Amino acid sequence: MKIPNHIGIIPDGNRRWARDRGMGVEQGYNYGLKPGLELLRLAKSYGVKEITYYGFTVDNCKRPKFQQEAFQKACIDAVKLIAAEGTSLLVIGNTKSQCFPQELLPYTKRTDINGGGMKVNFLVNYGWEWDLSGLKSDGDSKNSIHSRINSSDISRIDLIIRWGNMRRLSGFLPIQSVYSDFYVVDEMWPDFCSDHFEQAIKWYNMQDITLGG
Amino acid sequence: MKIPNHIGIIPDGNRRWARDRGMGVEQGYNYGLKPGLELLRLAKSYGVKEITYYGFTVDNCKRPKFQQEAFQKACIDAVKLIAAEGTSLLVIGNTKSQCFPQELLPYTKRTDINGGGMKVNFLVNYGWEWDLSGLKSDGDSKNSIHSRINSSDISRIDLIIRWGNMRRLSGFLPIQSVYSDFYVVDEMWPDFCSDHFEQAIKWYNMQDITLGG
């Protein structure tokens, strides 16, 4: 079996999931925590080398305050859960805006936690324009685009899995995603089960990977 | 009905289509010409404002010479067919490499042809790294990323339709694609029929477009 080195996770559908259950939309995020941890352990057991979670974005911070507070708290809680596992953890995003939770600042340098292990990246207040804004500082460099963006420590993504039925990237790491295979799960993220992940890996195994060639 | 302003077209599967019919893979491209023209007229009849075809890429030029010659010729022929319609036409890509067909140089400035009309962009020897390499020249500009890339004349894409069953962007306009909805047709491009396009538009109409918000 061909295992993708790096999987990108777009855990979408928390708000729709909550609304469908008669809850306030902001209550959905909390139900995404357990899936995140389950997925982490599952990916590790498959031998995946790197995983990137799409936490929240600069764009998301245009939403009402009560929603912002809910997804900020969920991301803080998720990072704490991940930090209790053995990983090489990096939280990355625009730390200079108010929307970035101060509690996550200690994680913004990659750190081996509990003996290290799989690379885990967590995008917090990430923006694709913010990411590429780092490019301009390099003048006439012959260095690759990838090596000059703010998220250069995140490697090329082999497989992106998006929950919640939408077929779009929504600004997710445009440079690392140029050649990624894109698998969409119809179910909402809080309804995550291991079968979704396994089906995605099976599908990935049927793809002819050419990296644009 | 909600009509996407700008549709990106990834006409993939020409080689597989030819191979499945016992032809040489390089013979497939020629069967993609008629579909390209049909699609153009169909999109125009729907009121689409802009359409971008993924011709060939810098990456593709690593393929064997006989394949390169075949897809270069197909792109020249396709552009000539399009140039017989009423469009505002732009051929765009890295003109400084040998892989760019000299016959297409006259089209590399946007030109209203036969009275003008829908914007049609045709990517020829396009590379995402080439596209973004233009960014560096701007120093500390506050201008948007989009306005500073080499393909800045191509607008944000609402809907990408890819033929040939692959679920990936393969380096297609990463900046204009950050928020695009992505529809995949299982059939190979030479098997194009209007129903594929109509299904894609129907699907697009069911999407909740948020531009990352």
Side-chain angles (χ1 to χ4, degrees):
Chain A
M1 188 118 112
K2 179 173 68 181
I3 300 298
N5 277 319
H6 183 185
I7 301 180
I9 300 294
I10 306 182
D12 193 28
N14 298 283
R15 291 185 296 169
R16 284 172 283 158
W17 185 90
R19 195 186 296 127
D20 288 348
R21 275 154 192 79
M23 304 179 190
V25 291
E26 77 285 2
Q27 295 182 268
Y29 300 112
N30 209 34
Y31 292 87
L33 295 174
K34 197 162 153 265
L37 193 58
E38 276 177 38
L39 178 71
L40 180 81
R41 291 172 178 167
L42 195 58
K44 205 185 262 190
S45 76
Y46 270 71
V48 173
K49 302 258 186 324
E50 183 170 356
I51 197 165
T52 299
Y53 292 97
Y54 210 13
F56 72 87
T57 65
V58 172
D59 289 329
N60 294 155
C61 291
K62 297 167 197 158
R63 292 182 189 165
K65 191 81 182 159
F66 74 98
Q67 283 190 34
Q68 284 183 43
E69 286 169 357
F71 62 63
Q72 284 167 329
K73 182 176 182 314
C75 284
I76 295 167
D77 291 346
V79 170
K80 284 183 183 163
L81 281 172
I82 294 168
E85 306 282 304
T87 64
S88 174
L89 179 60
L90 175 70
V91 170
I92 184 164
N94 184 357
T95 55
K96 286 180 189 150
S97 106
Q98 280 231 327
C99 215
F100 190 94
Q102 298 300 301
E103 294 93 318
L104 294 181
L105 282 175
Y107 300 99
T108 53
K109 264 191 90 164
R110 188 179 295 287
T111 312
D112 280 346
I113 298 183
N114 300 322
M118 184 168 71
K119 274 174 84 173
V120 178
N121 314 306
F122 204 103
L123 305 189
V124 172
N125 202 36
Y126 173 85
W128 67 270
E129 286 189 289
W130 164 81
D131 197 357
L132 292 175
S133 65
L135 265 175
K136 66 187 176 199
S137 58
D138 204 61
D140 283 315
S141 171
K142 292 228 184 302
N143 292 327
S144 74
I145 305 259
H146 187 178
S147 71
R148 294 190 284 132
I149 57 177
N150 286 325
S151 67
S152 60
D153 193 20
I154 300 181
S155 71
R156 185 174 60 69
I157 299 177
D158 300 296
L159 170 65
I160 297 169
I161 314 177
R162 180 170 187 146
W163 274 259
N165 195 28
M166 303 289 195
R167 287 156 204 272
R168 55 175 87 134
L169 292 175
S170 304
F172 182 68
L173 295 168
I175 301 305
Q176 289 90 338
S177 299
V178 287
Y179 301 128
S180 306
D181 281 280
F182 187 45
Y183 185 87
V184 175
V185 176
D186 287 342
E187 285 83 0
M188 304 294 131
W189 173 244
D191 283 332
F192 166 85
C193 69
S194 59
D195 188 51
H196 300 157
F197 181 82
E198 285 152 15
Q199 291 300 324
I201 299 287
K202 263 189 204 160
W203 174 81
Y204 179 77
N205 267 268
M206 295 185 300
Q207 305 311 307
D208 177 28
I209 310 299
T210 64
L211 302 182
Chain B
M1 187 119 110
K2 179 173 69 180
I3 301 298
N5 276 319
H6 182 185
I7 301 181
I9 300 294
I10 305 183
D12 193 28
N14 298 284
R15 291 185 297 169
R16 284 172 283 159
W17 185 91
R19 195 186 297 127
D20 288 349
R21 276 154 192 78
M23 302 178 190
V25 292
E26 77 285 3
Q27 296 182 265
Y29 300 113
N30 208 34
Y31 292 86
L33 294 174
K34 198 162 152 263
L37 194 58
E38 278 178 37
L39 178 71
L40 181 82
R41 292 172 178 167
L42 196 58
K44 205 185 262 191
S45 76
Y46 270 71
V48 172
K49 302 255 186 327
E50 183 171 356
I51 197 164
T52 299
Y53 292 96
Y54 209 15
F56 72 87
T57 65
V58 173
D59 289 329
N60 294 155
C61 291
K62 297 169 197 156
R63 293 184 189 164
K65 191 80 182 161
F66 74 98
Q67 284 190 35
Q68 283 182 45
E69 287 168 358
F71 62 63
Q72 284 167 330
K73 183 177 181 313
C75 285
I76 295 167
D77 292 346
V79 169
K80 284 182 184 164
L81 281 172
I82 294 168
E85 307 282 304
T87 63
S88 173
L89 179 58
L90 175 70
V91 170
I92 185 165
N94 183 357
T95 55
K96 286 179 190 150
S97 106
Q98 280 231 327
C99 215
F100 190 94
Q102 298 300 301
E103 294 93 318
L104 294 181
L105 281 175
Y107 300 99
T108 53
K109 264 190 90 164
R110 188 178 294 286
T111 312
D112 280 347
I113 298 183
N114 300 322
M118 183 168 72
K119 275 174 83 174
V120 178
N121 315 305
F122 204 103
L123 306 189
V124 172
N125 201 34
Y126 173 85
W128 66 271
E129 286 189 289
W130 165 80
D131 197 357
L132 293 174
S133 66
L135 265 174
K136 65 187 176 199
S137 58
D138 204 61
D140 282 316
S141 170
K142 292 226 186 303
N143 292 326
S144 75
I145 305 253
H146 187 176
S147 71
R148 294 191 285 129
I149 57 178
N150 285 325
S151 67
S152 60
D153 192 20
I154 300 180
S155 71
R156 186 175 58 70
I157 299 176
D158 300 297
L159 170 65
I160 296 169
I161 314 178
R162 180 171 187 146
W163 274 259
N165 195 27
M166 303 289 195
R167 288 156 203 272
R168 55 176 85 136
L169 292 176
S170 304
F172 182 68
L173 295 168
I175 301 304
Q176 288 90 339
S177 300
V178 288
Y179 301 129
S180 307
D181 280 280
F182 187 45
Y183 184 87
V184 175
V185 177
D186 287 340
E187 286 82 1
M188 305 295 130
W189 172 245
D191 284 332
F192 166 85
C193 69
S194 60
D195 188 51
H196 300 157
F197 181 82
E198 285 152 15
Q199 291 300 325
I201 299 287
K202 264 189 203 159
W203 174 81
Y204 179 77
N205 267 269
M206 295 185 299
Q207 305 312 306
D208 177 29
I209 311 298
T210 63
L211 303 182

